[in-house]
Amino acid sequence: MRLLKLVPDNTNIGFVKLRWIAFTLTGLLTLASVALLGIRGLNLGVDFVGGLMVETEFQKPVSLDELRRDVDRLGVGESSLQQFGQTNVVSIRLPLPESTDEGATNQVVKKVQGALEAKYPGVQFRRTDTVSGKVSGELIRTGVTAVVLSIIGIALFSWFRFEWQFGFSTAVAIIHDVLVTMGFFALTQIEFDLSIVAAVLTIVGYSINDKIVIDDRIRENLRKYRQMDMRALVDLSVNETLPRTVMTSLTLLLALGSLLLFGGDVIRGFTAAMMLGILVGTYSSIYVSSSLLISLGVTAKSFAPKTAATGAERVTKRENKEGAVP
């Protein structure tokens, strides 16, 4: 039986020659994401802002303005509404009652549910979440701390595992991946909750795995082809790892695509973040972190030992000339 090969043998794609276009695109995407975060901000869920959230499903689409007036008339605080996935599914956010007693919160929930059932027959209440302001503040701090520490830890690992240039290029690429993902949530205003933080951390882990594989191949080839031009060597390394990168990304996207279509609204934000993160992470691994090593001055002479390893293959001047990228 013939094996399936998504990437043909001896593939030789010139990724490095597009590095300046990739660097420009990366910078524009990063700046746009930061601008979106500053202008629109994230649609923080109850996990981070605190309060009461009631997710409702109506028999048919309803007017958000009319629904907001109906809820505000109940005297339970100013409401914030958002359609959740479908036009007939609405998330209703309310401030917590002044009394911290759980009974007071239950009374607010029952009051809202009773009013909606009376005016909108057949309405269903899918879930109710309650988070205090103190807990939400702690969640924000721990979430941001987790993401920042993960990036710093990964950069340090790449530094000690390889050299500082590898750590720097990896950190730049991962920061780009995280910012673009968060910019997407600022643009779409999909609710940003703890599950999205988990998705971001997963993206960081996937991205570093992909980048370490390529970095390891680059270091291996630096020792093996000590006379090869660095641009040709990076292209060779990326092409050698391309089948693994494509197969891993494709299988993950297929699984996540099924979750996006059939997993329901509860995990839709998590799945969307994962899919975007895999696409962005694969792009940055191929075009950003590896090519950035060239701009940082990495060459075969930088890290290769003075004496070649036994059995190491060298390229002749003619091979170097033919293999070099113009």
Side-chain angles (χ1 to χ4, degrees), residues 227-229 315-324:
Q227 298 182 24
M228 182 178 287
D229 179 80
V315 295
T316 64
K317 292 183 179 180
R318 182 178 179 181
E319 290 173 331
N320 178 44
K321 183 177 180 181
E322 292 176 351

Side-chain angles (χ1 to χ4, degrees), residues 16-298:
V16 171
K17 66 183 179 182
L18 300 175
R19 71 183 187 278
W20 294 114
I21 298 176
F23 290 166
T24 302
L25 178 61
T26 299
L28 291 175
L29 287 174
T30 303
L31 290 175
S33 299
V34 172
L36 285 170
L37 289 169
I39 297 172
R40 292 175 62 89
L42 294 172
N43 178 25
L44 297 176
V46 175
D47 294 337
F48 294 121
V49 298
L52 173 66
M53 192 277 287
V54 180
E55 185 179 317
T56 58
E57 181 177 358
F58 298 89
Q59 294 295 317
K60 58 182 180 180
V62 296
S63 170
L64 293 183
D65 292 335
E66 182 179 355
L67 180 60
R68 184 179 292 105
R69 288 193 295 268
D70 294 336
V71 176
D72 290 345
R73 289 195 195 102
L74 300 176
V76 293
E78 183 177 356
S79 62
S80 175
L81 308 183
Q82 182 185 15
Q83 289 180 332
F84 193 79
Q86 304 173 7
T87 55
N88 64 322
V89 178
V90 180
S91 171
I92 304 174
R93 296 186 190 176
L94 295 167
L96 289 173
E98 295 181 0
S99 175
T100 57
D101 184 15
E102 184 178 353
T105 302
N106 292 334
Q107 289 180 0
V108 171
V109 173
K110 291 180 180 178
K111 190 174 184 179
V112 172
Q113 291 178 346
L116 295 182
E117 287 174 343
K119 184 167 182 179
Y120 303 96
V123 62
Q124 297 181 5
F125 303 98
R126 302 169 64 167
R127 65 187 177 104
T128 302
D129 291 333
T130 304
V131 178
S132 68
K134 181 179 179 181
V135 173
S136 63
E138 293 176 353
L139 292 175
I140 291 176
R141 289 191 297 272
T142 54
V144 172
T145 301
V147 174
V148 172
L149 289 180
S150 66
I151 295 176
I152 294 175
I154 286 168
L156 292 175
F157 171 79
S158 298
W159 186 346
F160 289 109
R161 179 68 173 83
F162 304 102
E163 293 292 340
W164 72 266
Q165 292 95 331
F166 289 86
F168 180 81
S169 63
T170 299
V172 169
I174 291 178
I175 290 173
H176 158 265
D177 299 344
V178 172
L179 287 177
V180 170
T181 302
M182 297 184 69
F184 166 77
F185 279 88
L187 177 64
T188 59
Q189 289 295 292
I190 297 176
E191 186 175 285
F192 193 92
D193 54 19
L194 280 178
S195 66
I196 308 302
V197 175
V200 170
L201 291 172
T202 307
I203 290 168
V204 170
Y206 172 83
S207 187
I208 183 59
N209 181 60
D210 206 23
K211 291 169 177 56
I212 288 296
V213 169
I214 297 176
D215 286 348
D216 201 48
R217 183 57 60 89
I218 290 174
R219 189 179 67 166
E220 178 184 332
N221 285 335
L222 282 171
R223 295 174 175 174
K224 188 176 182 181
Y225 303 108
R226 295 179 57 188
Q227 298 182 24
M228 182 178 287
D229 179 80
M230 187 61 187
R231 292 172 293 178
L233 190 143
V234 170
D235 270 342
L236 173 65
S237 302
V238 175
N239 279 286
E240 286 179 344
T241 57
L242 193 60
R244 178 259 177 207
T245 299
V246 172
M247 182 63 72
T248 303
S249 299
L250 184 60
T251 52
L252 285 173
L253 289 173
L254 288 174
L256 291 170
S258 300
L259 286 177
L260 187 66
L261 293 175
F262 308 112
D265 295 329
V266 176
I267 62 171
R268 183 158 295 164
F270 174 87
T271 308
M274 285 291 299
M275 293 186 71
L276 177 65
I278 288 173
L279 291 173
V280 174
T282 302
Y283 154 78
S284 65
S285 298
I286 294 175
Y287 286 102
V288 179
S289 62
S290 56
S291 295
L292 191 57
L293 295 174
I294 301 172
S295 301
L296 294 174
V298 176

